Amino acid sequence: MPDWSYQTIFRPLLFRLPSRVARGATLHAMRRISRLPGGTLLIKTLGHMEPSPMLQGRIAGIPIPTPVGLSGIVDPQGIALKALSQFGFGFIEVGPVTLHPIDCSEPVLHDRRRETIIYPCAHENEGLAKTLARIERPDHSLPQFVRIAPMPGSSPEQAVDELKSLIQALSGPSVAGFYLDFLTVAGDSQANFDFMDRVNSMIRESVPSITTKPLFLHIPLEYPEALLSQTINRSDPAIWSGYVLGHSLEIGRGIELSARSKELAISRIQSLRSAVSGDTAIIASAAIHEPQDALDMFRAGADNVLLNSGLVFSGPGFPKRVNEAIIYDKIKSDPLPESPSFWKHWGWMCLLGLSMIVGGMIAWLIAASSVVLPYDEEFLGMTRAELQQINDHLLHFMSHDRITLAGTMISIGILYYQLAKNGLRHGLHWARTALMVSGVVGFPSFFLYLGYGFFDPIHAAAAAVLFPMFLLAMRRNPDQPFRKPVNLINSKTWRLAMWGQLCFVALGIALSVGGIVIAGVGVTHVFVPQDLTFMEMSREQLEQANPKLIPLIAHDRAGFGGALFSNAVMLLVLSLWGLQQGERWLWWTLLAGGSPAFIAGLSVHYDISYTDFVHLLPAYIAVALYVAGLILLYPYLMRNGRWTTRKMTNLP
């Protein structure tokens, strides 16, 4: 459920359901996908969310792959953690956990316009026993930090004993650390101070013999500013490894998670950072609904962030977007690396692309004029004039296959050239992957026709010349981070772009399926019923006219199917992974890369009057997706991204 499907299809549907039903359906669906063979690979492929090594860090000495964590309130029962762990998170919060279960049947409320979620119970959870069983058998590899809390209504003595029992029970190897959630907003300040002293004493006296795992003090978001510094002063730095700022506001009917608490969260983080040493970890979890919010939390003094309600409103790609924003913030002041020489790797792919363009143009010219080449006539033992005498539509039909192949070759060449110049040259992983996948499926497709006994010397020669270029382009090309500004807010432009991305992903999938089907038909049945209707001949009549005709036509069909599949998988990877705000070259690449194939495919059908609606319906749908995608992506890719970013919070 990546953002391009979540924002466009699933979110509108899910938000019409009761919140508990929507959450359960989503988590169980993700769980089922992750447990299928290849399920986690599918999740990674759709989102390309694996964190960059540049994001690696530590929380109180615990290694984490990224400073972005998953809040326990997102999946309180741990239903889909295997799937969620693939979204680009660096650590996972489990909890809150209390000694006994706290059940709540009241509805969870949400307001999608105000981006607000209201939970009727602050500490709803399954209790220690069930949570412990789940934690001890994690189906992911991320560090788990457990938020523990005393039962509501417990006396101070009981609460301290419960916290001690929870730490003791949960101190297995699968737990990285603990967040202790016992401070309250209600009541007098002295009660919190006394509670703090009791917990400090318990930890000094008992915890060292129980666990050496780091402990973090959980501070409510609305904790009074005047009491914050006093509370920090009473907390022993030898005991506490850091602080976790709560995610919610207490309201009369429960707790509220929303974007409106951002200013309060930033103020509290600033106060915390000014009161503690620089190596003390601060984790923020409130009001992070856009990548810009996360950056503002980091700039206020947070070391890590926990995503919760923002994941619901932004979508599953939110952690990846935050990670990209963090990387850009880290490297934006670094000098640009020296551009690699043309001949190191990317230049060879440019030459390959130009060769495909020129080859496609020549093939188009031949297919629109003589149609057959001398070695075709030699293979058939017939001249072009003799072929025309068999049937008036035969050469037209062969021309239609060869022109569509030529247009596809030109499209492939344009994509190769553009992805090499603007992606491979700069070490962009997605561009290298797109080119690699396209080449791996494209070059073998040149030989799909050999089973019919026809050897195309020009195709073979082209493969022999182009394949070394492909190998040279793929060598010595380490991945580099994306160095341009990234999208930071969930603007209207971004939401429109999700629809545009959906169109191109759907187009890439449809063309991939179409390429496989056409290649499959080419090496088996060769014709579909509409083809034979157009030529007004049966397969048997063609074989009687010349038994080598079908192998020649099969060669054209299989070659076109293979080329279409090669083109489609490259478009699909580009659409899934490559779209970044303000990358004008991508929009022009999509426009220029798709036009030759569509123009060739449709124009030749109308030119030869092969206009069967059923036959052309897939092409009409593909053109509609293509045009709609270009229109919807135009503001996101072609306009300067600065006008869609909000003014950042004033931070020191």
Side-chain angles (χ1 to χ4, degrees):
M1 197 189 294
D3 288 350
W4 47 265
S5 61
Y6 180 78
Q7 288 287 338
T8 56
I9 300 172
F10 293 110
R11 179 180 140 149
L13 295 175
L14 291 169
F15 275 28
R16 294 180 179 274
L17 300 173
S19 295
R20 290 185 185 274
V21 174
R23 181 175 68 180
T26 302
L27 294 175
H28 279 96
M30 288 193 293
R31 176 188 177 90
R32 283 191 288 270
I33 292 172
S34 68
R35 293 183 179 276
L36 292 172
T40 54
L41 177 62
L42 175 62
I43 294 171
K44 289 180 180 180
T45 301
L46 290 176
H48 198 225
M49 302 184 200
E50 187 171 348
S52 164
M54 295 181 63
L55 294 165
Q56 293 175 0
R58 292 178 179 270
I59 300 179
I62 307 297
I64 55 172
T66 161
V68 181
L70 173 68
S71 173
I73 204 167
V74 174
D75 186 4
Q77 297 175 313
I79 296 170
L81 291 183
K82 183 176 182 179
L84 291 167
S85 66
Q86 308 299 320
F87 284 11
F89 290 110
F91 61 101
I92 288 177
E93 177 192 65
V94 178
V97 182
T98 55
L99 203 58
H100 305 291
I102 297 177
D103 298 319
C104 184
S105 59
E106 295 180 39
V108 176
L109 305 176
H110 69 264
D111 185 333
R112 62 181 177 182
R113 292 184 179 178
R114 294 174 61 240
E115 295 197 356
T116 299
I117 301 176
I118 297 174
Y119 293 90
C121 179
H123 292 92
E124 181 180 353
N125 72 98
E126 296 180 305
L128 173 60
K130 286 188 176 181
T131 305
L132 178 60
R134 170 164 51 88
I135 290 176
E136 288 181 337
R137 296 188 299 273
D139 50 8
H140 61 86
S141 59
L142 297 180
Q144 300 183 110
F145 293 85
V146 184
R147 177 157 69 102
I148 57 176
M151 295 292 294
S154 298
S155 67
E157 295 82 2
Q158 291 172 327
V160 172
D161 288 340
E162 289 176 13
L163 291 174
K164 178 181 175 181
S165 298
L166 288 166
I167 293 174
Q168 188 170 15
L170 293 164
S171 290
S174 58
V175 172
F178 296 96
Y179 305 159
L180 274 64
D181 180 3
F182 58 86
L183 295 177
T184 61
V185 175
D188 61 88
S189 58
Q190 192 59 45
N192 270 327
F193 294 154
D194 291 344
F195 205 159
M196 187 78 197
D197 292 340
R198 287 175 181 271
V199 172
N200 283 338
S201 298
M202 180 270 291
I203 293 173
R204 291 192 197 97
E205 296 170 4
S206 304
V207 169
S209 63
I210 298 173
T211 185
T212 57
K213 298 181 187 298
L215 305 177
F216 300 81
L217 179 61
H218 186 279
I219 298 175
L221 180 57
E222 290 182 294
Y223 199 69
E225 181 83 24
L227 303 180
L228 187 58
S229 60
Q230 298 179 56
T231 303
I232 299 302
N233 290 335
R234 296 180 86 101
S235 63
D236 186 347
I239 292 175
W240 303 102
S241 298
Y243 301 88
V244 181
L245 185 66
H247 51 50
S248 58
L249 300 170
E250 293 188 13
I251 58 176
R253 57 180 185 269
I255 57 171
E256 176 186 288
L257 282 72
S258 71
R260 71 185 183 97
S261 58
K262 178 180 175 180
E263 296 298 328
L264 177 61
I266 287 176
S267 174
R268 293 294 184 270
I269 293 170
Q270 290 173 331
S271 299
L272 273 171
R273 180 49 68 195
S274 64
V276 301
S277 63
D279 59 351
T280 302
I282 296 177
I283 302 173
S285 62
I288 303 171
H289 283 212
E290 300 171 329
Q292 182 66 66
D293 298 332
L295 291 184
D296 289 346
M297 299 297 171
F298 286 121
R299 290 170 182 168
D303 300 292
N304 304 276
V305 294
L306 284 167
L307 304 186
N308 39 67
S309 55
L311 197 64
V312 175
F313 292 104
S314 290
F318 188 33
K320 176 187 176 183
R321 294 171 62 208
V322 174
N323 287 334
E324 290 173 343
I326 295 170
I327 291 174
Y328 176 71
D329 208 48
K330 282 177 177 287
I331 66 173
K332 64 182 179 182
S333 300
D334 295 347
L336 294 175
E338 184 178 351
S339 180
S341 70
F342 181 86
W343 300 111
K344 186 173 183 180
H345 43 67
W346 66 276
W348 292 103
M349 188 61 72
C350 287
L351 292 177
L352 196 161
L354 291 173
S355 299
M356 292 286 289
I357 293 171
V358 173
M361 289 179 175
I362 294 173
W364 194 330
L365 180 63
I366 293 171
S369 54
S370 63
V371 183
V372 292
L373 290 165
Y375 64 80
D376 294 325
E377 294 178 334
E378 181 180 353
F379 174 75
L380 293 172
M382 299 180 72
T383 64
R384 182 181 186 278
E386 291 172 328
L387 285 173
Q388 199 159 9
Q389 291 176 0
I390 294 175
N391 184 287
D392 290 339
H393 294 303
L394 178 58
L395 283 176
H396 289 160
F397 181 78
M398 295 176 65
S399 172
H400 123 278
D401 270 355
R402 295 189 169 194
I403 287 177
T404 50
L405 172 60
T408 304
M409 288 173 58
I410 296 172
S411 290
I412 293 173
I414 292 171
L415 289 176
Y416 276 11
Y417 180 86
Q418 285 290 88
L419 265 62
K421 181 181 177 182
N422 298 286
L424 195 65
R425 178 183 180 184
H426 302 295
L428 298 185
H429 177 264
W430 71 263
R432 183 164 60 87
T433 303
L435 292 166
M436 175 67 78
V437 173
S438 177
V440 166
V441 302
F443 280 104
S445 71
F446 285 164
F447 303 99
L448 283 174
Y449 52 81
L450 291 180
Y452 271 94
F454 175 70
F455 180 78
D456 188 329
I458 290 184
H459 278 196
V465 172
L466 298 180
F467 188 61
M469 294 184 183
F470 175 77
L471 294 178
L472 289 169
M474 292 293 108
R475 63 177 181 164
R476 299 197 306 270
N477 192 7
D479 294 340
Q480 298 291 334
F482 183 69
R483 294 184 174 272
K484 297 181 183 179
V486 297
N487 173 266
L488 296 177
I489 68 168
N490 302 344
S491 62
K492 181 180 179 181
T493 299
W494 175 75
R495 296 184 191 280
L496 284 175
M498 293 302 98
W499 283 99
Q501 187 176 9
L502 174 65
C503 288
F504 273 104
V505 169
L507 178 61
I509 293 173
L511 292 179
S512 297
V513 173
I516 293 172
V517 170
I518 292 170
V521 169
V523 298
T524 54
H525 303 291
V526 183
F527 304 103
V528 295
Q530 293 85 0
D531 297 333
L532 299 174
T533 300
F534 169 74
M535 288 188 290
E536 298 177 347
M537 291 186 73
S538 66
R539 181 188 175 102
E540 291 73 18
Q541 288 174 316
L542 286 169
E543 288 179 332
Q544 290 173 2
N546 189 321
K548 293 184 177 181
L549 261 178
I550 290 180
L552 181 63
I553 295 172
H555 146 265
D556 294 341
R557 314 228 89 178
F560 170 55
L564 181 60
F565 184 53
S566 174
N567 195 16
V569 294
M570 184 164 40
L571 174 65
L572 182 59
V573 174
L574 185 158
S575 304
L576 286 171
W577 299 352
L579 300 179
Q580 286 283 4
Q581 185 169 347
E583 289 290 85
R584 298 169 62 90
W585 73 270
L586 277 172
W587 192 88
W588 288 112
T589 298
L590 291 171
L591 175 64
S595 297
F598 285 120
I599 291 172
L602 290 177
S603 65
V604 70
H605 278 86
Y606 280 95
D607 184 55
I608 66 174
S609 300
Y610 186 2
T611 56
D612 182 89
F613 180 77
V614 174
H615 181 70
L616 288 179
L617 182 59
Y620 294 147
I621 295 173
V623 170
L625 289 171
Y626 173 69
V627 173
L630 287 173
I631 293 172
L632 293 164
L633 283 173
Y634 185 90
Y636 187 74
L637 295 178
M638 292 293 287
R639 296 178 183 173
N640 193 315
R642 289 178 296 180
W643 71 276
T644 60
T645 58
R646 297 173 185 164
K647 185 177 180 181
M648 293 169 53
T649 306
N650 292 325
L651 298 173

